[in-house]
């Protein structure tokens, strides 16, 4: 697969960020970016996710943004069908960009690239789920034109 897109690193900058499929060699950088953002290292989780999404089969996508040879962002998602009665659509499961270079269009480039993959698969809608108090991520997705959808998430604590 050729790069999904090339985007400027920042407005007026000559550097270009390449968005491309993730490889196993990218995992340490993805794990570090996630740990930087969440405060929790989850190497087993990311290795398992790469096993599922890294082959780019079955509508699954794991893309990274690369600047000067360094992974500076990532996005994962897949085409899902009929869960909870939902017709087939693209789902974004994770997106992250290195702190300090956010607001430069990298996340938008990643989002656009995965949406293009979903469109190529025939999808006409993309969805995601996030914590209602995660204002940064909520603001990002709203800036991409996303809004509340037709589903409501419910949960219950399970007694131990």
């Amino acid at each position: 697969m050729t790069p999904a897109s090339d985007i400027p690193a920042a407005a007026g900058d000559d550097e270009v960020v390449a968005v491309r499929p993730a490889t196993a060699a990218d995992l340490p950088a993805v794990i570090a970016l996630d740990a930087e953002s969440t405060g929790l290292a989850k190497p087993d989780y990311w290795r398992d996710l790469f096993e599922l999404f890294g082959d780019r089969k079955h509508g699954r996508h794991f893309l990274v943004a690369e600047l000067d040879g360094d992974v500076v962002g990532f996005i994962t998602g897949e085409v899902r069908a009929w869960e909870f009665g939902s017709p087939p659509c693209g789902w974004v499961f994770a997106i992250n960009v290195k702190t300090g270079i956010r607001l430069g269009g990298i996340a938008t480039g990643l989002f656009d690239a995965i949406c293009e993959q979903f469109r190529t698969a025939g999808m006409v809608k993309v969805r995601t789920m996030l914590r209602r108090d995660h204002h940064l991520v909520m603001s990002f997705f709203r800036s991409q034109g996303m809004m509340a959808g037709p589903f409501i998430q419910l949960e219950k604590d399970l007694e131990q």
Side-chain angles (χ1 to χ4, degrees):
M1 177 179 191
T2 58
S5 65
D6 288 334
I7 54 177
D13 197 341
D14 290 336
E15 293 181 294
V16 173
V17 175
V19 176
R20 62 170 176 75
T23 66
D26 298 323
L27 282 176
V30 167
I31 292 164
L33 281 171
D34 179 62
E36 171 190 60
S37 186
T38 65
L40 181 63
K42 304 179 287 266
D44 292 339
Y45 169 81
W46 287 106
R47 283 189 204 98
D48 290 348
L49 197 68
F50 182 77
E51 290 276 325
L52 287 172
F53 287 62
D55 64 7
R56 298 183 300 276
K57 294 180 183 173
H58 312 292
R60 295 177 178 140
H61 305 280
F62 195 141
L63 305 174
V64 295
E66 184 177 58
L67 176 63
D68 293 330
D70 294 324
V71 172
V72 295
F74 62 86
I75 191 167
T76 65
E78 73 176 318
V79 172
R80 308 250 353 191
W82 307 116
E83 285 89 359
F84 315 106
S86 170
C89 67
W91 275 89
V92 173
F93 297 133
I95 186 168
N96 199 340
V97 172
K98 185 175 183 171
T99 304
I101 61 169
R102 292 178 179 162
L103 302 177
I106 295 170
T108 297
L110 286 162
F111 185 73
D112 289 348
I114 204 164
C115 285
E116 184 57 33
Q117 298 296 313
F118 294 150
R119 273 191 288 282
T120 299
M123 300 302 104
V124 296
K125 194 168 292 285
V126 61
R127 293 190 170 116
T128 193
M129 190 180 334
L130 56 130
R131 291 182 55 94
R132 71 177 74 235
D133 65 349
H134 202 311
H135 302 292
L136 178 66
V137 176
M138 177 79 75
S139 294
F140 168 74
F141 282 119
R142 291 218 171 146
S143 77
Q144 302 305 307
M146 296 186 82
M147 61 184 90
F151 299 96
I152 296 173
Q153 178 239 348
L154 302 173
E155 71 179 20
K156 174 185 173 182
D157 291 336
L158 298 176
E159 295 179 26
Q160 297 293 327

